[in-house]
Amino acid sequence: MNEQLTGPVYICRCEDVTLAEVWAALERGVTTMEEIKRLTRCGMGPCQGRTCRQLLARELGRVMGESPGAADMATYRPPVKPVKLGVLAGGE
Amino acid sequence: MRQSAGVVIIGGGVIGCAIAYYLARKGCRDVVLLERYYLASGATGRCGAGVRQQWGTEINITLARESVRRFERMNEELGYRGDVEFKQKGYLLLAYTSRQVEQFQQNIRLQQRLGVPVRLVGPQEAREIIPILNIHGLLAAAYCPTDGHANPFHVTQAYAEAARRLGAEIHTYTEVTGIRVERGRVTGITTDRGSISTPQVINATGAHGGVIGRMVGLDLPLYPERHQVLVTEPWERLQDPMVISFHHRLYCQQTPHGSFIMGVGDPNEPKTHDQNATWQFLREMAGKITWLLPPLKDIRVVRQWAGSYDMSPDANPILGECGIQGFYTAAGFSGHGFMVAPAVAEMVADAVLTGTAPQPIRHLGWERFSRGDLLVEPSVV
Ligand SMILES: Cc1cc2nc3c(=O)[nH]c(=O)nc-3n(C[C@H](O)[C@H](O)[C@H](O)COP(=O)(O)OP(=O)(O)OC[C@H]3O[C@@H](n4cnc5c(N)ncnc54)[C@H](O)[C@@H]3O)c2cc1C
């Protein structure tokens, strides 16, 4: 894929992270999913990476020459679905 | 990996990476840093990221003030390609009892004398500073506009990249398993990926500081204590300063990204390396924060996690050489190590390079515990 031809390609829609930003991180030597997540915010949005985790793993595998399964998958953090603070407080 | 080094740093959190940078910048050409997972995988990447100068002891105020100066020009100093996102939106500390007000007044006098622009404000002014604040029962608040927060992943990464450019070697996924000592001197370390001979080792392993101490036969009084945090979805700007209430044992800030990050201290948290997040925390946090900042009730929590405070008996770090020649420790920050990292790291680097700890960290040597000369910090959440 060439971003000059296609325009920016968004890999994480919640946090507006582009493929080019992921490549830039890889170029700086940041090569694990856990680190890329924390430096680019890829997968940190309200959907918790439901789409981009797979895309990122695939891209990492491609660039690093490993199978996607080899990537150290980023941790899923609770809650599984976003919940309002007011609901958690028992108010609603 | 190198076979020998001038200094080996154990731990790739903000403290270890910042020390690596200062050692390299001050001319030490063979620094090696070893991290068993990835950089900032410990407390650093789990922290609230607050930077405040409002402390109760001269040492902590000075270390925080000197660190704020370094945060202010960090992107340029480190030549960082990203942004460490240091934002000075202030800190507002809430007082609900007359004892707290007196303590604040005493702290403020000391802070002002040391050049920190802090002042006591009444409830009305507190609400002007944070319009969504519920001021019910509030007596006064301490406000310092130059406090703030920074992004811990980027700060750590910025130090690591700058250290590497200056010749330091950083190895992630490398665990130190032992330290060799001969005739009272450090001679090397062993890892799961080989060994390195070195006359100097710096223990920057946070809550694991005690484990590393035992590798050289020392009983450093350091232990972990779990603390929990949650983060919400991004929201329109509602709150500029970080809010701390010692009374509710909580803190809450809105990051530049728009999300709210908050935590609440619980004296019953386990004193172990347990890093599991709990449902009880979510409930308690939600209850307290929707009382203090009511509009937050409509905002959704997207993530919660836990991390370990690296506690010491007086809630202050152990800094400097400990017991064995060439064995240095920089750990035990007790929940406030991120904000002092820049100044502390430079002073620890000086101690390693010159053999004597500079003021003010001279008072933070581990001997203080055997002397019974504790430096108790009153303002910890
Ligand atoms: C929930 C929470 C909120 C906090 N909020 C704030 C705040 O608002 N402001 C603030 O200033 N501070 C805060 N802190 C405290 C702050 O996070 C720490 O004091 C600081 O990050 C300590 O940095 P460090 O580098 O010493 O430790 P760490 O970041 O824990 O780094 C130590 C590293 O050593 C590694 N390690 C351990 N053993 C070995 C080994 N055998 N070999 C190799 N590597 C090893 C670990 O993997 C780890 O990465 C908070 C902490 C928590 C948990």
Side-chain angles (χ1 to χ4, degrees):
Chain A
M1 215 178 326
N2 184 336
E3 290 216 335
Q4 264 153 9
L5 298 179
T6 59
V9 175
Y10 289 95
I11 184 162
C12 169
R13 288 176 298 187
C14 298
E15 294 288 339
D16 290 345
V17 181
T18 64
L19 203 52
E21 287 174 74
V22 171
W23 289 338
L26 288 168
E27 229 162 73
R28 275 158 63 186
V30 179
T31 55
T32 66
M33 262 184 90
E34 294 279 17
E35 290 170 293
I36 292 176
K37 164 182 161 185
R38 287 164 176 78
L39 288 171
T40 65
R41 303 195 56 86
C42 186
M44 280 193 171
C47 97
Q48 286 268 46
R50 215 150 281 138
T51 318
C52 63
R53 271 162 56 96
Q54 299 302 333
L55 294 175
L56 181 58
R58 216 168 59 200
E59 188 57 17
L60 254 173
R62 194 184 67 78
V63 177
M64 305 298 291
E66 293 165 356
S67 67
D72 198 356
M73 276 300 222
T75 320
Y76 259 131
R77 301 258 188 232
V80 174
K81 244 179 97 183
V83 192
K84 282 186 183 176
L85 279 163
V87 173
L88 291 167
E92 280 175 31
Chain B
M1 198 159 80
R2 268 180 226 192
Q3 310 267 295
S4 75
V7 186
V8 171
I9 301 166
I10 315 173
V14 68
I15 297 290
C17 292
I19 294 175
Y21 163 73
Y22 280 110
L23 282 172
R25 201 192 80 183
K26 288 168 189 278
C28 189
R29 285 285 162 252
D30 47 357
V31 178
V32 175
L33 182 149
L34 305 172
E35 162 56 48
R36 62 175 179 167
Y37 301 129
Y38 50 92
L39 298 181
S41 58
T44 301
R46 298 164 186 273
C47 81
V51 177
R52 71 167 144 130
Q53 303 156 94
Q54 300 187 61
W55 291 98
T57 58
E58 180 158 349
I59 292 182
N60 282 329
I61 299 166
T62 307
L63 291 175
R65 186 197 65 202
E66 289 309 303
S67 294
V68 163
R69 291 186 183 153
R70 288 168 177 75
F71 277 116
E72 284 171 344
R73 50 184 164 80
M74 191 169 283
N75 286 328
E76 297 75 43
E77 187 193 331
L78 301 181
Y80 189 47
R81 280 176 282 181
D83 180 4
V84 301
E85 295 169 12
F86 183 53
K87 296 284 178 324
Q88 288 169 290
K89 301 269 185 186
Y91 254 66
L92 190 73
L93 273 48
L94 309 177
Y96 288 92
T97 64
S98 51
R99 248 194 84 217
Q100 276 176 342
V101 177
E102 277 162 35
Q103 175 79 57
F104 280 15
Q105 282 167 330
Q106 196 183 325
N107 291 356
I108 286 173
R109 275 195 296 275
L110 181 60
Q111 290 153 5
Q112 286 176 338
R113 182 164 70 71
L114 296 168
V116 177
V118 54
R119 63 196 159 90
L120 200 71
V121 300
Q124 287 307 331
E125 193 177 349
R127 187 144 64 187
E128 279 159 32
I129 296 168
I130 300 182
I132 61 169
L133 185 70
N134 171 9
I135 55 172
H136 183 81
L138 183 68
L139 296 183
Y143 177 57
C144 174
T146 59
D147 289 347
H149 48 84
N151 181 316
F153 307 118
H154 283 289
V155 169
T156 307
Q157 188 69 20
Y159 276 124
E161 286 181 11
R164 277 199 179 112
R165 278 200 304 277
L166 292 165
E169 254 185 38
I170 297 180
H171 299 283
T172 53
Y173 295 97
T174 307
E175 179 164 4
V176 173
T177 51
I179 300 174
R180 283 197 308 274
V181 177
E182 285 162 33
R183 275 175 256 118
R185 284 166 178 268
V186 168
T187 59
I189 55 106
T190 51
T191 77
D192 55 356
R193 293 172 56 187
S195 50
I196 302 177
S197 62
T198 179
Q200 282 169 320
V201 165
I202 303 174
N203 170 16
T205 57
H208 296 269
V211 178
I212 302 293
R214 281 193 286 283
M215 289 181 184
V216 296
L218 290 179
D219 192 13
L220 298 176
L222 296 172
Y223 59 93
E225 182 180 284
R226 186 175 71 184
H227 281 254
Q228 303 192 53
V229 187
L230 68 78
V231 62
T232 71
E233 61 190 326
W235 203 257
E236 67 191 73
R237 202 85 224 145
L238 292 178
Q239 173 189 349
D240 274 335
M242 170 87 94
V243 176
I244 292 189
S245 167
F246 296 109
H247 190 71
H248 302 97
R249 298 194 311 271
L250 70 74
Y251 62 90
C252 176
Q253 62 153 318
Q254 188 172 18
T255 68
H257 165 259
S259 53
F260 287 83
I261 292 188
M262 58 190 85
V264 46
D266 173 356
N268 300 317
E269 281 284 21
K271 310 259 183 292
T272 64
H273 290 288
D274 179 348
Q275 296 199 345
N276 290 313
T278 65
W279 165 246
Q280 287 88 323
F281 161 74
L282 267 189
R283 272 243 301 267
E284 185 185 353
M285 184 79 246
K288 285 182 170 172
I289 208 67
T290 53
W291 180 86
L292 191 66
L293 303 166
L296 266 59
K297 71 180 189 330
D298 294 321
I299 305 180
R300 291 182 173 82
V301 177
V302 295
R303 259 192 314 284
Q304 68 172 131
W305 65 87
S308 299
Y309 271 20
D310 48 338
M311 298 304 297
S312 83
D314 60 4
N316 276 308
I318 297 177
L319 301 176
E321 203 170 32
C322 302
I324 285 166
Q325 216 177 330
F327 181 75
Y328 290 82
T329 294
F333 292 92
S334 307
H336 50 100
F338 175 67
M339 64 182 80
V340 294
V344 162
E346 178 160 10
M347 292 179 198
V348 170
D350 284 337
V352 171
L353 293 175
T354 65
T356 34
Q359 292 284 5
I361 65 165
R362 203 165 295 169
H363 304 283
L364 293 171
W366 80 307
E367 317 79 36
R368 74 180 186 276
F369 300 110
S370 45
R371 280 203 312 263
D373 196 4
L374 271 57
L375 189 95
V376 177
E377 171 55 63
S379 315
V380 179
V381 203

